[in-house]
Amino acid sequence: YRNIAGLDVEFEVVSGGGSIETHYTKTDSRGMAGARWQLGSQTGTQVVRVRVGKADGSVFLTLSFSANCFLPD
């Protein structure tokens, strides 16, 4: 494992609605990046996709995160 600073990171809501506070950022000196995800009002699975890119524009890594949203009875 090694830290890679300065990689481009893109966050995108792909299903279920909601919003991302920061759509584009770069990894910090520890190789980390983050964004706040507010879930949408739709019940069911909600998904955010994260793409990490190299300086040449190619995609280095793609991740998906999901959350299940439900309304209490």
Side-chain angles (χ1 to χ4, degrees), residues 8-13 18-25 34-36 49-51:
D8 293 320
V9 182
E10 174 188 8
F11 297 89
E12 176 186 15
V13 176
S19 62
I20 293 288
E21 182 180 275
T22 305
H23 290 279
Y24 300 97
T25 190
R36 291 179 188 245
R49 181 174 29 228
V50 181
R51 290 187 184 102

Side-chain angles (χ1 to χ4, degrees), residues 3-46:
N3 301 337
I4 304 175
L7 293 176
D8 293 320
V9 182
E10 174 188 8
F11 297 89
E12 176 186 15
V13 176
V14 293
S15 69
S19 62
I20 293 288
E21 182 180 275
T22 305
H23 290 279
Y24 300 97
T25 190
K26 291 191 177 282
T27 55
D28 63 17
S29 63
R30 298 173 298 155
M32 300 184 75
R36 291 179 188 245
W37 174 20
Q38 181 173 332
L39 298 178
S41 60
Q42 297 179 12
T43 59
T45 302
Q46 300 188 28

